[in-house]
Amino acid sequence: MVMACFFRRAIAEQVSRLVDVPSEKILHHIHAIPASRKRSSNDFQLHLRSLLGDAGNYEEKVQNLAHKLVSDSVVNEFGLSRGVLTFKVHRPLLVEKVVAKIRQDGARYGFNSALLSDFTKGLALVEYSSPNIAKKFHVGHLRSTIIGNFIANLKAAAGNEVIRVNYLGDWGLQFGLLGAGFSRFGCEEKLQSNALQHLFEVYVKVNEAAEKDEEMKRSAREFMRELESGNPQAISLWTHFRGLSIEEYAKVYKRLGVQFDEYSGESFYREKSQDILNLLRSENILQITKDGKGVVDLKENGDMPVYATVMRSDGTTLYLTRDIAAAIDRMEKYNFDKMVYVTDKSQEAHFQNLFKILKKLGKDANRCHHVMFGRVKGMQTRKGEVVFLEDVLDEARARMLHNMAKAGTSKATEDPVDTAEKIGIAALIIQDFKGPLQADYRFNWDEALQSVGDTGVFLQYTHARLQSLLTMWSTRGEEDFNVSCLQEPSAIATLQHLLRYDEVIYKSLKELQPKYLVAYLMGLG
């Protein structure tokens, strides 16, 4: 049991005896009070209105309860303000128990809390990053990559088995254009040197050509038909493009500390998506419009018809159809407890349609969850518009290296470039994680790379200082520890902050939002 739970339980048991409410019910209403280094405060608070209700003479009930509370071996002071009871733990006990629990649990501190028992510890599949091969690696893909990685790490730390999936945009019209245009604009040597850059260059050129040349459009459609029908030559070229692209992505992901258990993609479901159309037909869900398109009516409870298209008039499938196939395939293959999709909020309607169609097919769509995020404005490199994720990471490293050289306080490091890389990436991530995920925000390089304030640079420097202290004191034995040495207000405030950690983890898991953890770490620093 996490230390905060030991204190919460002691408080809940005393209150339970006085209000005749089970202590287990009271536990979830007791919260650690956010600590302040400027003024002392009690440690826990209990909002009684949620327990006693709004029935008459509420204030009188609260006053009577407050008068009946007595000091015991755990709590020695009480407070009451606006219907909220507060509790102060014996200071020597607070120090002793919190420090002992941190020593016992180490990196697992906070994750063994009874608070987290609400969450199922099963198999979680997280789909994130998912760039479109040959197209720009938008900043949105950076957000999806780091947010998805946070969610996967959080769920793993909470005891889930996690499968990390990169669902590539590796099928569709862009490959028809690439296949048709590579013989005219492509160069195998450039492709081997930098696949993502060269495929993007080819894609831009062939797009421009297709706008003026109808023959190029026909060639693209023909190449796509060859791909769909399994033409060996077309499949070989597509496999070549895809394999080299994944190799390039993996290098960039490594810089971010991101890895995947599975590289999947729309191409995996080009055949199974036809099976989905057959399934929709057999369930009498598929409707054919006058122009030959296949649609599904998503209306509920007699509402007006709302249609989602799952088949083009030529019989080929769409992104939605392939997503249905992927979801059902994963349900059958992994039998996951939860699947999380991490994309920008422009895809909200797409996932609503996906989940509704899964329900119509009798699938448990409640196991599927869409985490949305807003757009980033103003993220440009010195070269101009961001095209590839690598450009962003190079920019962060270069700017951080410049700041380190300019700051006289920075210590010399064995590998300043590597240090600048790590700090720069941390700055990018923390800047992104500070606010609500769904909110759009304007990125500013100077703000993100400041060494003071609520920045990733500050967190990295704080972490480095703490590691230095740990190394310095690592030879001291536990018998050297004296509880009385941690009674000053600043030490108590830090311990109070540590009491809240399991609540922060709880909120982060419940909402899958990193902002709570970032704010907590900033306060701890």
Side-chain angles (χ1 to χ4, degrees):
M1 181 191 297
V2 160
M3 207 58 260
C5 284
F6 169 84
F7 297 131
R8 287 191 200 100
R9 189 166 295 281
I11 293 167
E13 287 172 356
Q14 182 173 173
V15 174
S16 173
R17 290 191 294 268
L18 297 173
V19 298
D20 196 26
V21 174
S23 61
E24 292 299 323
K25 185 176 179 181
I26 297 170
L27 267 177
H28 286 280
H29 297 280
I30 300 171
H31 301 286
I33 297 173
S36 170
R37 299 191 189 280
K38 295 180 181 178
R39 62 184 182 278
S40 63
S41 66
N42 286 354
D43 307 306
F44 292 92
Q45 58 189 356
L46 170 59
H47 292 262
L48 290 162
R49 194 173 294 278
S50 54
L51 286 173
L52 302 181
D54 292 319
N57 64 0
Y58 171 75
E59 293 293 335
E60 185 181 337
K61 286 182 182 178
V62 175
Q63 289 285 353
N64 289 339
L65 175 58
H67 288 309
K68 292 177 183 177
L69 292 168
V70 294
S71 298
D72 56 20
S73 59
V74 176
V75 177
N76 68 335
E77 283 186 27
F78 307 93
L80 177 63
S81 176
R82 297 178 182 177
V84 179
L85 270 176
T86 63
F87 305 82
K88 182 178 180 180
V89 174
H90 286 283
R91 287 301 173 244
L93 183 67
L94 175 71
V95 176
E96 178 189 339
K97 292 290 188 181
V98 173
V99 172
K101 192 61 181 172
I102 292 171
R103 280 179 161 173
Q104 178 185 327
D105 290 355
R108 294 294 305 161
Y109 177 76
F111 285 95
N112 298 325
S113 172
L115 277 183
L116 307 188
S117 61
D118 290 353
F119 299 102
T120 303
K121 289 181 175 62
L123 176 62
L125 191 149
V126 186
E127 180 195 297
Y128 57 105
S129 194
S130 306
N132 294 303
I133 290 176
K135 291 187 178 179
K136 292 182 182 181
F137 198 118
H138 289 290
V139 179
H141 292 115
L142 169 61
R143 291 209 78 187
S144 177
T145 303
I146 59 179
I147 292 166
N149 195 53
F150 165 79
I151 291 170
N153 289 343
L154 180 66
K155 284 190 168 288
N160 296 275
E161 180 187 352
V162 177
I163 297 174
R164 303 157 189 258
V165 177
N166 196 340
Y167 186 69
L168 299 171
D170 62 354
W171 202 250
L173 186 58
Q174 79 260 31
F175 276 98
L177 288 164
L178 275 176
F182 192 77
S183 58
R184 187 191 300 186
F185 303 110
C187 168
E188 184 62 31
E189 187 178 337
K190 289 182 179 178
L191 184 68
Q192 293 288 344
S193 173
N194 191 331
L196 298 178
Q197 178 71 41
H198 187 54
L199 286 175
F200 177 67
E201 290 168 353
V202 172
Y203 183 68
V204 170
K205 288 177 182 177
V206 74
N207 250 319
E208 291 173 353
E211 287 178 8
K212 304 169 187 173
D213 183 358
E214 196 61 38
E215 182 59 34
M216 179 60 77
K217 285 183 182 177
R218 280 196 292 271
S219 297
R221 286 194 292 269
E222 179 58 32
F223 188 87
M224 199 61 220
R225 277 195 290 271
E226 289 176 357
L227 265 182
E228 292 270 9
S229 63
N231 177 284
Q233 207 167 1
I235 291 290
S236 175
L237 188 59
W238 168 83
T239 303
H240 188 46
F241 290 163
R242 187 181 189 276
L244 288 173
S245 296
I246 288 175
E247 285 180 18
E248 290 297 315
Y249 284 134
K251 292 175 187 175
V252 181
Y253 290 137
K254 185 177 180 181
R255 292 176 66 180
L256 278 170
V258 172
Q259 58 186 17
F260 295 93
D261 301 301
E262 179 181 303
Y263 278 92
S264 181
E266 293 181 66
S267 61
F268 283 57
Y269 300 100
R270 64 183 189 274
E271 293 178 5
K272 288 184 178 180
S273 59
Q274 290 295 332
D275 296 336
I276 292 300
L277 294 179
N278 293 333
L279 177 61
L280 291 169
R281 286 190 189 96
S282 67
E283 295 290 332
N284 294 317
I285 296 173
L286 185 69
Q287 300 178 27
I288 306 299
T289 64
K290 290 179 181 178
D291 58 359
K293 291 179 181 177
V295 298
V296 174
D297 186 358
L298 303 177
K299 70 180 178 185
E300 297 176 353
N301 304 321
D303 295 335
M304 292 290 288
V306 179
Y307 296 107
T309 304
V310 293
M311 184 184 76
R312 296 188 185 92
S313 55
D314 62 1
T316 58
T317 60
L318 286 84
Y319 180 63
L320 175 58
T321 330
R322 294 188 284 275
D323 261 10
I324 298 166
I328 293 175
D329 179 61
R330 291 167 184 173
M331 286 175 177
E332 294 172 352
K333 182 179 178 181
Y334 296 112
N335 191 28
F336 54 77
D337 295 278
K338 183 69 72 176
M339 177 161 63
V340 181
Y341 298 89
V342 185
T343 75
D344 71 77
K345 60 187 179 185
S346 68
Q347 295 197 47
E348 181 179 11
H350 168 81
F351 283 100
Q352 287 176 347
N353 292 346
L354 170 62
F355 299 160
K356 286 177 181 177
I357 293 173
L358 288 173
K359 285 180 182 177
K360 281 184 173 290
L361 289 170
K363 306 300 179 182
D364 184 8
N366 292 326
R367 291 188 285 160
C368 302
H369 183 63
H370 180 211
V371 172
M372 298 179 284
F373 54 83
R375 296 186 176 182
V376 184
K377 302 169 185 175
M379 184 178 278
Q380 292 187 322
T381 68
R382 290 188 175 95
K383 298 175 185 176
E385 183 187 2
V386 172
V387 176
F388 299 108
L389 174 57
E390 195 166 12
D391 296 334
V392 181
L393 303 188
D394 288 348
E395 184 81 5
R397 181 180 61 199
R399 286 177 181 258
M400 196 63 229
L401 199 58
H402 174 75
N403 288 1
M404 287 164 57
K406 195 169 63 173
T409 55
S410 293
K411 291 183 179 180
T413 61
E414 291 182 8
D415 189 344
V417 174
D418 182 62
T419 301
E421 166 110 343
K422 288 182 170 64
I423 297 174
I425 287 173
L428 285 174
I429 292 171
I430 294 302
Q431 183 78 355
D432 195 279
F433 284 2
K434 281 162 61 174
L437 291 183
Q438 289 193 41
D440 298 340
Y441 77 92
R442 180 162 293 280
F443 182 84
N444 183 292
W445 282 107
D446 293 333
E447 288 179 11
L449 297 175
Q450 284 179 356
S451 59
V452 294
D454 294 347
T455 67
V457 179
F458 168 75
L459 273 186
Q460 287 285 64
Y461 285 163
T462 303
H463 180 263
R465 288 197 300 270
L466 289 172
Q467 287 293 334
S468 178
L469 285 171
L470 284 172
T471 302
M472 186 188 306
W473 292 96
S474 61
T475 56
R476 300 288 292 268
E478 290 189 20
E479 64 277 1
D480 293 335
F481 174 65
N482 187 339
V483 170
S484 64
C485 294
L486 290 177
Q487 299 297 316
E488 65 270 23
S490 61
I492 294 298
T494 299
L495 292 166
Q496 287 177 316
H497 199 73
L498 292 167
L499 281 177
R500 290 182 52 237
Y501 187 44
D502 61 343
E503 295 180 16
V504 172
I505 295 169
Y506 179 90
K507 289 191 78 171
S508 300
L509 280 167
K510 187 175 182 180
E511 299 183 26
L512 298 182
Q513 292 266 354
K515 63 178 182 177
Y516 301 113
L517 189 56
V518 170
Y520 175 84
L521 292 174
M522 293 298 180
L524 186 61

